[in-house]
Amino acid sequence: EFAGPEGVVRHFGCNLATTNCNVPDWVYRGWAAPPCCKETMRHLLFYIDGVFSELGIRYVVSDGVLLGSYKFGGMLDWDADVDLHIHTEDFHRLEEVVQHRV
């Protein structure tokens, strides 16, 4: 955020150290996800992949992330989340092991 000389505070996007942009401001209007939000979601997906791989937790990406990566080679412009399906046998481990890593 930046406060200009007139005292108006402006938001210039999110990052891993801040909260994401306000979703209703763009997703419910049919706009594309801001590039900062897409980058943050991409970083989080890679982080989760590293944690899950290290702990042997099986998962697949699904819905918008899967469709976007298959069809366009990246996330869909209008997708506001990352959908994961975790294997039934590994799901209980989320609270036991993963919760302490995120």
Side-chain angles (χ1 to χ4, degrees):
E1 293 185 356
F2 172 77
E6 70 283 355
V8 175
V9 176
R10 290 181 170 79
H11 176 71
F12 290 105
C14 59
N15 59 47
L16 290 174
T18 64
T19 58
N20 279 8
C21 299
N22 192 7
V23 172
D25 285 348
W26 54 270
V27 77
Y28 300 124
R29 295 179 180 167
W31 298 347
C36 53
C37 292
K38 287 178 67 174
E39 185 68 12
T40 299
M41 288 188 288
R42 189 178 72 78
H43 280 288
L44 291 173
L45 178 58
F46 284 123
Y47 176 75
I48 289 295
D49 176 65
V51 171
F52 283 8
S53 294
E54 181 182 321
L55 298 173
I57 294 178
R58 297 165 287 179
Y59 79 97
V60 295
V61 294
S62 63
D63 303 335
V65 173
L66 180 61
L67 175 64
S69 63
Y70 178 76
K71 190 164 182 165
F72 302 113
M75 295 180 70
L76 297 173
D77 285 342
W78 56 87
D79 202 5
D81 61 2
V82 174
D83 301 293
L84 303 175
H85 287 250
I86 298 163
H87 195 282
T88 305
E89 294 173 8
D90 295 333
F91 195 80
H92 72 280
R93 297 180 60 210
L94 293 178
E95 190 172 4
E96 294 172 7
V97 199
V98 177
Q99 182 178 6
H100 307 290
R101 296 283 304 270
V102 293

XYZ file of all heavy atoms in Angstrom:
819
model
N 0.839 -1.181 0.000
C 0.000 0.000 0.000
C 0.876 1.234 0.000
O 2.000 1.218 0.494
C -0.924 0.009 1.214
C -1.957 -1.079 1.176
C -2.951 -0.995 2.319
O -2.795 -0.131 3.193
O -3.890 -1.785 2.308
N 0.324 2.290 -0.549
C 1.055 3.535 -0.646
C 0.108 4.682 -0.349
O -0.985 4.752 -0.904
C 1.636 3.683 -2.059
C 2.257 5.020 -2.316
C 3.501 5.315 -1.812
C 1.593 5.965 -3.062
C 4.082 6.549 -2.048
C 2.155 7.202 -3.305
C 3.412 7.493 -2.792
N 0.508 5.556 0.531
C -0.286 6.749 0.833
C 0.310 7.913 0.059
O 1.473 8.284 0.267
C -0.291 7.037 2.321
N -0.471 8.470 -0.862
C -0.014 9.597 -1.669
C -0.020 10.891 -0.876
O -0.471 10.945 0.277
N 0.477 11.956 -1.492
C 0.548 13.237 -0.798
C -0.817 13.772 -0.374
O -0.918 14.512 0.598
C 1.222 14.165 -1.803
C 1.226 13.451 -3.099
C 1.023 12.005 -2.820
N -1.861 13.361 -1.085
C -3.213 13.801 -0.719
C -3.809 12.966 0.404
O -4.938 13.185 0.835
C -4.145 13.808 -1.943
C -4.513 12.438 -2.478
C -3.431 11.736 -3.298
O -2.369 12.309 -3.579
O -3.673 10.568 -3.656
N -3.044 11.943 0.877
C -3.502 11.113 1.984
C -4.313 9.901 1.571
O -4.739 9.119 2.413
N -4.531 9.700 0.277
C -5.294 8.554 -0.207
C -4.375 7.331 -0.229
O -3.277 7.377 -0.783
C -5.869 8.823 -1.621
C -6.559 7.581 -2.172
C -6.814 9.996 -1.585
N -4.824 6.234 0.389
C -4.052 4.995 0.421
C -4.446 4.156 -0.788
O -5.622 3.898 -1.026
C -4.306 4.222 1.735
C -3.575 2.889 1.721
C -3.888 5.055 2.934
N -3.442 3.716 -1.542
C -3.685 2.908 -2.737
C -3.048 1.540 -2.551
O -1.972 1.411 -1.981
C -3.111 3.613 -3.956
C -3.883 4.856 -4.318
C -3.291 5.511 -5.568
N -4.141 6.562 -6.061
C -4.209 7.784 -5.546
N -3.480 8.099 -4.481
N -4.992 8.702 -6.076
N -3.734 0.531 -3.052
C -3.279 -0.860 -2.957
C -2.697 -1.244 -4.313
O -3.355 -1.101 -5.340
C -4.467 -1.752 -2.598
C -4.142 -3.202 -2.568
N -3.360 -3.761 -1.594
C -4.489 -4.206 -3.395
C -3.245 -5.063 -1.813
N -3.921 -5.340 -2.899
N -1.461 -1.724 -4.325
C -0.804 -2.078 -5.581
C -0.596 -3.575 -5.734
O 0.340 -4.019 -6.369
C 0.533 -1.350 -5.703
C 0.370 0.113 -5.912
C 0.605 0.990 -4.877
C -0.045 0.617 -7.126
C 0.458 2.348 -5.062
C -0.206 1.972 -7.323
C 0.046 2.843 -6.286
N -1.445 -4.368 -5.130
C -1.379 -5.810 -5.315
C -0.914 -6.545 -4.074
O -0.455 -5.961 -3.105
N -1.053 -7.845 -4.138
C -0.716 -8.700 -3.004
C 0.607 -9.411 -3.270
O 1.128 -9.392 -4.375
C -1.838 -9.711 -2.776
S -2.165 -10.790 -4.189
N 1.115 -10.050 -2.231
C 2.283 -10.912 -2.343
C 2.206 -11.928 -1.210
O 1.229 -11.951 -0.470
C 3.588 -10.103 -2.317
C 3.747 -9.294 -1.053
O 3.553 -9.790 0.058
N 4.095 -8.024 -1.208
N 3.216 -12.744 -1.062
C 3.167 -13.797 -0.044
C 3.146 -13.243 1.375
O 2.752 -13.929 2.302
C 4.338 -14.761 -0.213
C 4.268 -15.651 -1.455
C 5.551 -16.455 -1.605
C 3.066 -16.569 -1.414
N 3.566 -11.991 1.552
C 3.606 -11.400 2.894
C 2.327 -10.633 3.235
O 2.173 -10.169 4.354
C 4.807 -10.463 3.008
N 1.407 -10.502 2.285
C 0.169 -9.759 2.523
C -1.026 -10.633 2.182
O -0.875 -11.720 1.631
C 0.108 -8.486 1.649
O 0.067 -8.880 0.261
C 1.300 -7.590 1.887
N -2.214 -10.148 2.486
C -3.417 -10.861 2.087
C -3.659 -10.645 0.597
O -3.200 -9.661 0.019
C -4.646 -10.366 2.870
O -4.788 -8.969 2.644
C -4.500 -10.638 4.352
N -4.374 -11.569 -0.011
C -4.709 -11.422 -1.433
C -5.623 -10.233 -1.648
O -6.248 -9.737 -0.720
C -5.390 -12.689 -1.951
C -4.401 -13.771 -2.297
O -3.218 -13.662 -2.030
N -4.896 -14.829 -2.884
N -5.703 -9.811 -2.868
C -6.616 -8.737 -3.237
C -8.043 -9.159 -2.876
O -8.344 -10.354 -2.817
C -6.521 -8.447 -4.724
S -4.877 -7.913 -5.250
N -8.899 -8.213 -2.686
C -10.279 -8.486 -2.310
C -11.008 -9.173 -3.466
O -11.272 -8.556 -4.491
C -10.973 -7.184 -1.915
C -12.297 -7.430 -1.243
O -12.654 -8.566 -0.946
N -13.025 -6.373 -0.999
N -11.318 -10.455 -3.300
C -11.898 -11.267 -4.374
C -13.181 -10.670 -4.954
O -13.314 -10.579 -6.172
C -12.121 -12.724 -3.905
C -12.889 -13.525 -4.941
C -10.778 -13.385 -3.623
N -14.154 -10.235 -4.146
C -15.379 -9.707 -4.753
C -15.146 -8.505 -5.665
O -15.952 -8.236 -6.548
C -16.236 -9.301 -3.554
C -15.746 -10.163 -2.442
C -14.269 -10.326 -2.693
N -14.044 -7.807 -5.473
C -13.761 -6.657 -6.322
C -13.540 -7.034 -7.777
O -13.691 -6.217 -8.666
C -12.533 -5.880 -5.815
C -12.847 -5.052 -4.582
O -14.036 -4.892 -4.250
O -11.883 -4.573 -3.953
N -13.155 -8.273 -8.033
C -12.881 -8.632 -9.417
C -13.563 -9.904 -9.881
O -14.099 -9.956 -10.967
C -11.368 -8.716 -9.659
C -10.626 -9.622 -8.731
C -10.066 -9.286 -7.540
C -10.370 -11.014 -8.903
N -9.480 -10.370 -6.951
C -9.644 -11.452 -7.773
C -10.685 -11.930 -9.893
C -9.227 -12.761 -7.609
C -10.263 -13.240 -9.736
C -9.539 -13.633 -8.606
N -13.603 -10.958 -9.074
C -14.104 -12.240 -9.575
C -15.604 -12.206 -9.858
O -16.069 -12.778 -10.837
C -13.722 -13.405 -8.641
C -14.585 -13.451 -7.399
C -13.793 -14.734 -9.377
N -16.375 -11.555 -9.015
C -17.820 -11.544 -9.220
C -18.246 -10.556 -10.303
O -19.411 -10.493 -10.652
C -18.545 -11.271 -7.900
C -18.232 -12.339 -6.869
C -17.705 -12.014 -5.632
C -18.434 -13.689 -7.157
C -17.400 -12.994 -4.699
C -18.122 -14.669 -6.241
C -17.615 -14.320 -5.014
O -17.305 -15.296 -4.108
N -17.307 -9.808 -10.811
C -17.596 -8.901 -11.933
C -17.188 -9.529 -13.261
O -17.324 -8.912 -14.300
C -16.854 -7.587 -11.731
C -17.342 -6.825 -10.527
C -16.576 -5.558 -10.349
N -17.083 -4.853 -9.169
C -16.466 -3.839 -8.608
N -15.336 -3.388 -9.114
N -16.969 -3.260 -7.551
N -16.624 -10.735 -13.195
C -16.210 -11.426 -14.412
C -14.849 -10.992 -14.916
O -14.489 -11.273 -16.051
N -14.069 -10.306 -14.085
C -12.748 -9.847 -14.499
C -11.724 -10.949 -14.292
O -11.912 -11.884 -13.521
C -12.324 -8.636 -13.691
C -13.200 -7.444 -13.852
C -14.158 -7.234 -14.803
C -13.229 -6.281 -13.022
N -14.763 -6.024 -14.613
C -14.216 -5.410 -13.537
C -12.516 -5.889 -11.899
C -14.504 -4.179 -12.972
C -12.791 -4.661 -11.334
C -13.774 -3.821 -11.874
N -10.592 -10.815 -14.951
C -9.493 -11.753 -14.758
C -8.861 -11.532 -13.385
O -8.901 -10.429 -12.842
C -8.440 -11.547 -15.851
N -8.285 -12.584 -12.840
C -7.583 -12.473 -11.557
C -6.386 -11.550 -11.734
O -5.680 -11.626 -12.734
C -7.114 -13.851 -11.099
N -6.150 -10.685 -10.769
C -4.973 -9.809 -10.860
C -3.697 -10.651 -10.942
O -3.601 -11.711 -10.321
C -5.015 -9.012 -9.551
C -6.432 -9.084 -9.092
C -6.939 -10.410 -9.567
N -2.711 -10.195 -11.697
C -1.464 -10.961 -11.828
C -0.802 -11.254 -10.480
O -0.223 -12.317 -10.299
C -0.566 -10.051 -12.683
C -1.502 -9.144 -13.390
C -2.705 -8.980 -12.502
N -0.926 -10.340 -9.531
C -0.308 -10.576 -8.222
C -0.972 -11.766 -7.525
O -0.286 -12.586 -6.897
C -0.383 -9.322 -7.351
S -2.041 -8.623 -7.172
N -2.291 -11.887 -7.634
C -2.999 -13.009 -7.003
C -2.640 -14.332 -7.673
O -2.440 -15.342 -7.002
C -4.504 -12.786 -7.067
S -5.085 -11.432 -6.041
N -2.548 -14.329 -9.001
C -2.170 -15.551 -9.706
C -0.770 -15.980 -9.316
O -0.501 -17.158 -9.111
C -2.263 -15.334 -11.216
C -3.691 -15.268 -11.712
C -3.776 -14.995 -13.187
C -3.241 -16.145 -13.975
N -3.435 -15.993 -15.422
N 0.140 -15.031 -9.169
C 1.513 -15.352 -8.779
C 1.556 -15.911 -7.352
O 2.270 -16.874 -7.069
C 2.401 -14.107 -8.902
C 3.859 -14.367 -8.640
C 4.529 -15.236 -9.694
O 3.955 -15.489 -10.763
O 5.654 -15.693 -9.414
N 0.774 -15.324 -6.445
C 0.713 -15.812 -5.074
C 0.164 -17.238 -5.039
O 0.718 -18.109 -4.358
C -0.159 -14.882 -4.206
O 0.428 -13.586 -4.190
C -0.279 -15.392 -2.785
N -0.904 -17.508 -5.790
C -1.474 -18.863 -5.827
C -0.476 -19.858 -6.415
O -0.363 -20.990 -5.948
C -2.777 -18.870 -6.625
C -3.916 -18.198 -5.891
S -5.524 -18.385 -6.690
C -5.356 -17.319 -8.108
N 0.269 -19.435 -7.425
C 1.272 -20.308 -8.035
C 2.362 -20.654 -7.019
O 2.752 -21.818 -6.881
C 1.877 -19.630 -9.268
C 2.760 -20.529 -10.096
C 3.282 -19.802 -11.328
N 4.285 -18.817 -10.980
C 5.564 -19.109 -10.695
N 5.959 -20.360 -10.709
N 6.424 -18.159 -10.403
N 2.851 -19.665 -6.271
C 3.868 -19.914 -5.245
C 3.338 -20.864 -4.170
O 4.054 -21.769 -3.724
C 4.315 -18.605 -4.586
C 5.310 -17.846 -5.391
N 6.614 -18.251 -5.549
C 5.189 -16.706 -6.090
C 7.257 -17.396 -6.308
N 6.413 -16.441 -6.648
N 2.096 -20.658 -3.748
C 1.514 -21.524 -2.726
C 1.353 -22.954 -3.223
O 1.590 -23.908 -2.486
C 0.173 -20.963 -2.250
C 0.279 -19.670 -1.444
C -1.108 -19.108 -1.173
C 1.032 -19.887 -0.156
N 0.968 -23.110 -4.482
C 0.832 -24.458 -5.052
C 2.180 -25.167 -5.067
O 2.280 -26.342 -4.684
C 0.244 -24.390 -6.459
C 0.091 -25.726 -7.182
C -0.798 -26.679 -6.389
C -0.465 -25.506 -8.574
N 3.241 -24.477 -5.466
C 4.571 -25.092 -5.466
C 5.029 -25.414 -4.046
O 5.677 -26.433 -3.814
C 5.596 -24.211 -6.179
C 5.473 -24.259 -7.679
C 5.261 -23.101 -8.401
C 5.564 -25.460 -8.364
C 5.144 -23.141 -9.780
C 5.447 -25.513 -9.741
C 5.234 -24.343 -10.458
N 4.707 -24.561 -3.088
C 5.064 -24.830 -1.695
C 4.343 -26.082 -1.185
O 4.964 -26.974 -0.603
C 4.721 -23.633 -0.806
C 4.976 -23.909 0.652
C 6.270 -23.925 1.155
C 3.925 -24.197 1.515
C 6.518 -24.211 2.497
C 4.166 -24.474 2.854
C 5.456 -24.482 3.339
O 5.683 -24.778 4.660
N 3.037 -26.141 -1.421
C 2.255 -27.312 -0.995
C 2.767 -28.576 -1.679
O 2.866 -29.632 -1.058
C 0.745 -27.099 -1.275
C 0.187 -26.056 -0.313
C -0.040 -28.393 -1.188
C 0.202 -26.485 1.146
N 3.116 -28.478 -2.961
C 3.664 -29.640 -3.659
C 4.934 -30.127 -2.975
O 5.120 -31.327 -2.784
C 3.956 -29.298 -5.121
C 4.603 -30.456 -5.840
O 3.953 -31.516 -6.005
O 5.793 -30.323 -6.215
N 5.800 -29.214 -2.577
C 7.028 -29.598 -1.894
C 6.762 -30.276 -0.561
O 7.367 -31.303 -0.243
N 5.841 -29.717 0.223
C 5.503 -30.301 1.525
C 4.867 -31.674 1.338
O 5.256 -32.650 1.993
C 4.558 -29.373 2.318
C 4.019 -30.066 3.567
C 5.267 -28.078 2.694
N 3.891 -31.764 0.432
C 3.213 -33.046 0.211
C 4.186 -34.098 -0.320
O 4.128 -35.261 0.079
C 2.036 -32.875 -0.745
C 0.813 -32.264 -0.120
C 0.825 -31.747 1.167
C -0.368 -32.188 -0.832
C -0.299 -31.185 1.734
C -1.517 -31.630 -0.270
C -1.473 -31.129 1.011
N 5.071 -33.715 -1.223
C 6.043 -34.669 -1.766
C 6.972 -35.168 -0.668
O 7.259 -36.359 -0.577
C 6.853 -34.022 -2.884
O 6.030 -33.721 -3.975
N 7.452 -34.252 0.160
C 8.347 -34.618 1.255
C 7.683 -35.581 2.232
O 8.311 -36.511 2.736
C 8.773 -33.355 1.998
C 9.718 -33.585 3.147
C 10.055 -32.300 3.866
O 10.225 -31.264 3.201
O 10.122 -32.336 5.108
N 6.391 -35.392 2.485
C 5.670 -36.224 3.450
C 4.981 -37.432 2.809
O 4.353 -38.226 3.499
C 4.628 -35.376 4.184
C 5.201 -34.219 4.998
C 4.085 -33.337 5.542
C 6.071 -34.739 6.127
N 5.069 -37.553 1.494
C 4.461 -38.689 0.808
C 2.943 -38.622 0.748
O 2.284 -39.659 0.705
N 2.393 -37.428 0.739
C 0.937 -37.265 0.657
C 0.543 -37.185 -0.814
O 1.062 -36.357 -1.562
C 0.479 -36.017 1.434
C 0.742 -36.253 2.919
C -0.990 -35.709 1.163
C 0.397 -35.101 3.810
N -0.365 -38.069 -1.201
C -0.795 -38.142 -2.593
C -1.941 -37.167 -2.845
O -2.877 -37.092 -2.044
C -1.238 -39.563 -2.924
C -0.083 -40.557 -2.798
C -0.566 -41.962 -2.763
N -1.201 -42.197 -1.453
C -1.747 -43.336 -1.089
N -1.779 -44.351 -1.911
N -2.283 -43.464 0.109
N -1.838 -36.440 -3.948
C -2.880 -35.474 -4.311
C -2.857 -35.244 -5.815
O -1.885 -35.611 -6.489
C -2.663 -34.145 -3.572
C -1.596 -33.277 -4.191
C -1.938 -32.259 -5.073
C -0.259 -33.493 -3.921
C -0.959 -31.479 -5.660
C 0.712 -32.716 -4.495
C 0.362 -31.711 -5.363
O 1.326 -30.940 -5.958
N -3.901 -34.655 -6.320
C -3.951 -34.197 -7.708
C -4.567 -32.807 -7.722
O -5.385 -32.473 -6.867
C -4.785 -35.135 -8.619
C -4.131 -36.496 -8.737
C -6.213 -35.256 -8.143
N -4.143 -32.010 -8.688
C -4.824 -30.730 -8.887
C -6.078 -31.020 -9.698
O -6.133 -31.978 -10.462
C -3.931 -29.688 -9.600
C -2.757 -29.289 -8.741
C -3.473 -30.184 -10.952
N -7.097 -30.203 -9.511
C -8.353 -30.452 -10.207
C -9.007 -29.133 -10.593
O -8.475 -28.052 -10.327
C -9.292 -31.279 -9.322
O -9.616 -30.553 -8.163
N -10.145 -29.240 -11.190
C -10.996 -28.113 -11.556
C -10.235 -27.091 -12.405
O -9.604 -27.460 -13.372
C -11.633 -27.491 -10.313
C -12.450 -28.512 -9.511
O -12.917 -29.504 -10.109
O -12.596 -28.336 -8.299
N -10.272 -25.830 -12.032
C -9.710 -24.767 -12.861
C -8.219 -24.887 -13.104
O -7.732 -24.616 -14.207
N -7.459 -25.290 -12.098
C -6.006 -25.420 -12.264
C -5.693 -26.531 -13.266
O -4.839 -26.367 -14.139
C -5.312 -25.686 -10.915
C -3.834 -25.978 -11.111
C -5.484 -24.500 -9.998
N -6.393 -27.649 -13.165
C -6.174 -28.753 -14.093
C -6.567 -28.370 -15.509
O -5.808 -28.574 -16.458
C -6.956 -29.986 -13.634
C -6.817 -31.233 -14.506
C -5.374 -31.705 -14.560
C -7.724 -32.334 -13.975
N -7.738 -27.780 -15.655
C -8.202 -27.364 -16.983
C -7.267 -26.328 -17.589
O -6.865 -26.438 -18.748
C -9.621 -26.797 -16.891
C -10.198 -26.214 -18.182
C -10.341 -27.300 -19.244
C -11.529 -25.549 -17.912
N -6.896 -25.325 -16.805
C -6.017 -24.278 -17.315
C -4.654 -24.809 -17.720
O -4.116 -24.440 -18.768
N -4.088 -25.694 -16.908
C -2.761 -26.219 -17.233
C -2.807 -27.112 -18.459
O -1.890 -27.100 -19.273
C -2.165 -26.968 -16.044
O -2.944 -28.093 -15.730
N -3.898 -27.863 -18.614
C -4.023 -28.742 -19.773
C -4.286 -27.949 -21.050
O -3.656 -28.157 -22.068
C -5.150 -29.754 -19.539
C -5.381 -30.677 -20.713
C -4.504 -31.724 -20.961
C -6.456 -30.488 -21.565
C -4.706 -32.565 -22.044
C -6.662 -31.325 -22.647
C -5.785 -32.359 -22.890
O -5.985 -33.184 -23.951
N -5.211 -27.021 -20.974
C -5.643 -26.317 -22.174
C -4.766 -25.117 -22.537
O -4.528 -24.848 -23.702
C -7.090 -25.857 -22.002
C -7.710 -25.339 -23.269
C -9.197 -25.251 -23.196
C -9.728 -24.778 -24.532
N -11.120 -24.972 -24.696
N -4.282 -24.380 -21.518
C -3.569 -23.140 -21.782
C -2.133 -23.126 -21.265
O -1.420 -22.142 -21.442
C -4.321 -21.958 -21.164
C -5.727 -21.827 -21.663
C -6.792 -22.048 -20.808
C -6.001 -21.500 -22.978
C -8.103 -21.939 -21.253
C -7.303 -21.393 -23.436
C -8.358 -21.610 -22.569
N -1.719 -24.163 -20.541
C -0.359 -24.194 -20.012
C -0.159 -23.330 -18.785
O 0.955 -23.002 -18.421
N -1.235 -22.932 -18.116
C -1.149 -22.110 -16.910
C -2.518 -21.972 -16.281
O -3.489 -22.580 -16.726
N -2.593 -21.158 -15.262
C -3.866 -20.976 -14.562
C -4.856 -20.207 -15.430
O -4.464 -19.371 -16.243
C -3.643 -20.222 -13.258
C -2.798 -20.994 -12.272
S -2.540 -20.091 -10.746
C -4.179 -20.158 -10.056
N -6.129 -20.503 -15.240
C -7.169 -19.750 -15.927
C -7.184 -18.320 -15.399
O -6.997 -18.093 -14.205
C -8.543 -20.385 -15.681
C -8.736 -21.800 -16.219
C -10.075 -22.355 -15.743
C -8.660 -21.811 -17.733
N -7.409 -17.379 -16.288
C -7.397 -15.968 -15.879
C -8.437 -15.646 -14.819
O -8.234 -14.784 -13.991
C -7.623 -15.062 -17.089
C -6.389 -14.968 -17.968
O -5.291 -15.305 -17.487
O -6.529 -14.552 -19.133
N -9.565 -16.326 -14.851
C -10.671 -15.998 -13.960
C -10.748 -16.905 -12.742
O -11.654 -16.793 -11.934
C -11.990 -16.059 -14.721
C -12.200 -17.401 -15.372
C -12.765 -18.515 -14.813
C -11.808 -17.785 -16.685
N -12.749 -19.564 -15.693
C -12.168 -19.139 -16.865
C -11.190 -17.116 -17.749
C -11.935 -19.825 -18.042
C -10.959 -17.809 -18.920
C -11.330 -19.136 -19.056
N -9.773 -17.795 -12.574
C -9.805 -18.726 -11.444
C -9.266 -18.045 -10.191
O -8.202 -17.420 -10.217
C -8.979 -19.968 -11.766
C -9.373 -21.162 -10.927
O -10.340 -21.059 -10.157
O -8.704 -22.205 -11.057
N -10.001 -18.171 -9.101
C -9.652 -17.461 -7.864
C -9.113 -18.377 -6.777
O -8.939 -17.949 -5.655
C -10.880 -16.717 -7.343
N -8.873 -19.649 -7.104
C -8.387 -20.565 -6.078
C -7.607 -21.698 -6.717
O -7.512 -21.795 -7.932
C -9.550 -21.125 -5.252
C -10.542 -21.921 -6.081
O -10.336 -22.093 -7.302
O -11.539 -22.398 -5.515
N -7.022 -22.534 -5.871
C -6.316 -23.729 -6.310
C -7.035 -24.910 -5.684
O -7.157 -24.991 -4.467
C -4.836 -23.705 -5.870
C -4.159 -25.012 -6.207
C -4.111 -22.537 -6.516
N -7.545 -25.798 -6.524
C -8.303 -26.951 -6.048
C -7.416 -28.190 -6.040
O -6.802 -28.519 -7.048
C -9.519 -27.191 -6.949
C -10.433 -25.981 -6.991
O -11.033 -25.686 -5.953
O -10.530 -25.341 -8.057
N -7.367 -28.847 -4.894
C -6.604 -30.083 -4.740
C -7.521 -31.185 -4.233
O -8.389 -30.935 -3.402
C -5.478 -29.900 -3.712
C -4.471 -28.791 -3.941
C -3.523 -28.710 -2.755
C -3.702 -29.007 -5.222
N -7.302 -32.382 -4.733
C -7.986 -33.559 -4.204
C -6.921 -34.442 -3.574
O -5.976 -34.855 -4.241
C -8.735 -34.300 -5.312
C -9.961 -33.580 -5.758
N -11.219 -34.024 -5.493
C -10.114 -32.418 -6.431
C -12.105 -33.188 -5.992
N -11.446 -32.192 -6.562
N -7.066 -34.701 -2.291
C -6.088 -35.468 -1.534
C -6.595 -36.897 -1.393
O -7.774 -37.126 -1.117
C -5.856 -34.806 -0.164
C -5.302 -33.404 -0.394
C -4.923 -35.639 0.694
C -5.397 -32.496 0.774
N -5.701 -37.844 -1.582
C -6.060 -39.251 -1.504
C -6.704 -39.546 -0.151
O -6.252 -39.073 0.892
C -4.811 -40.115 -1.700
C -5.106 -41.541 -1.992
N -5.467 -42.444 -1.016
C -5.104 -42.228 -3.159
C -5.663 -43.625 -1.560
N -5.445 -43.518 -2.868
N -7.748 -40.348 -0.172
C -8.512 -40.666 1.034
C -7.623 -41.211 2.161
O -7.790 -40.835 3.315
C -9.602 -41.704 0.701
O -10.395 -41.196 -0.367
C -10.479 -42.003 1.895
N -6.687 -42.055 1.821
C -5.830 -42.661 2.844
C -4.847 -41.654 3.462
O -4.299 -41.901 4.527
C -5.073 -43.849 2.259
C -5.983 -44.995 1.870
C -5.239 -46.095 1.129
O -3.990 -46.039 1.040
O -5.911 -47.008 0.628
N -4.614 -40.541 2.786
C -3.675 -39.538 3.285
C -4.369 -38.342 3.931
O -3.716 -37.523 4.577
C -2.787 -39.027 2.148
C -1.894 -40.107 1.583
O -1.558 -41.053 2.332
O -1.538 -40.021 0.400
N -5.667 -38.242 3.768
C -6.389 -37.051 4.221
C -6.226 -36.793 5.719
O -6.037 -35.656 6.144
C -7.871 -37.153 3.852
C -8.583 -35.848 3.956
C -8.480 -34.909 2.949
C -9.337 -35.545 5.076
C -9.122 -33.690 3.047
C -9.986 -34.325 5.191
C -9.877 -33.396 4.168
N -6.265 -37.844 6.526
C -6.142 -37.675 7.979
C -4.793 -37.099 8.382
O -4.651 -36.484 9.443
C -6.370 -39.021 8.692
C -5.243 -39.992 8.503
N -5.089 -40.753 7.359
C -4.200 -40.283 9.305
C -4.005 -41.491 7.472
N -3.438 -41.223 8.648
N -3.789 -37.243 7.536
C -2.451 -36.743 7.846
C -2.350 -35.228 7.753
O -1.403 -34.640 8.273
C -1.432 -37.400 6.924
C -1.394 -38.907 7.146
C -0.413 -39.598 6.259
N 0.924 -39.069 6.509
C 1.864 -39.024 5.567
N 1.614 -39.441 4.347
N 3.051 -38.544 5.848
N -3.322 -34.594 7.114
C -3.277 -33.135 6.995
C -3.235 -32.468 8.361
O -2.433 -31.573 8.609
C -4.476 -32.612 6.206
C -4.517 -32.985 4.732
C -5.778 -32.436 4.101
C -3.287 -32.494 4.017
N -4.094 -32.918 9.251
C -4.136 -32.320 10.587
C -2.950 -32.777 11.437
O -2.388 -31.996 12.198
C -5.449 -32.663 11.285
C -5.661 -31.879 12.556
C -7.045 -32.077 13.133
O -7.828 -32.880 12.592
O -7.328 -31.428 14.134
N -2.555 -34.032 11.266
C -1.474 -34.587 12.080
C -0.107 -34.006 11.733
O 0.683 -33.693 12.613
C -1.402 -36.106 11.892
C -2.589 -36.866 12.399
C -2.531 -38.332 12.001
O -1.499 -38.780 11.449
O -3.519 -39.041 12.228
N 0.175 -33.876 10.436
C 1.535 -33.536 10.013
C 1.628 -32.213 9.257
O 2.496 -31.404 9.536
C 2.115 -34.647 9.099
C 3.607 -34.564 9.027
C 1.698 -36.015 9.542
N 0.732 -32.006 8.334
C 0.846 -30.855 7.442
C 0.494 -29.548 8.138
O 1.128 -28.523 7.894
C -0.038 -31.046 6.187
C 0.007 -29.839 5.294
C 0.413 -32.273 5.428
N -0.474 -29.551 8.998
C -0.937 -28.318 9.638
C 0.215 -27.561 10.296
O 0.230 -26.346 10.304
C -2.026 -28.647 10.666
C -2.591 -27.419 11.331
C -3.703 -27.789 12.317
O -3.949 -28.952 12.558
N -4.339 -26.794 12.842
N 1.186 -28.271 10.799
C 2.309 -27.630 11.488
C 3.319 -27.032 10.512
O 4.187 -26.277 10.922
C 3.013 -28.640 12.398
C 2.050 -29.332 13.334
N 1.457 -28.661 14.383
C 1.558 -30.596 13.343
C 0.664 -29.505 15.023
N 0.706 -30.666 14.405
N 3.190 -27.359 9.226
C 4.128 -26.875 8.210
C 3.620 -25.640 7.467
O 4.365 -25.017 6.740
C 4.374 -27.983 7.176
C 5.036 -29.226 7.713
C 6.519 -29.047 7.939
N 7.234 -28.612 6.768
C 7.784 -29.433 5.861
N 7.669 -30.728 5.995
N 8.432 -28.932 4.844
N 2.355 -25.350 7.607
C 1.799 -24.201 6.855
C 1.355 -23.112 7.782
O 1.167 -23.260 8.936
C 0.648 -24.629 5.930
C 1.179 -25.524 4.832
C -0.453 -25.334 6.694
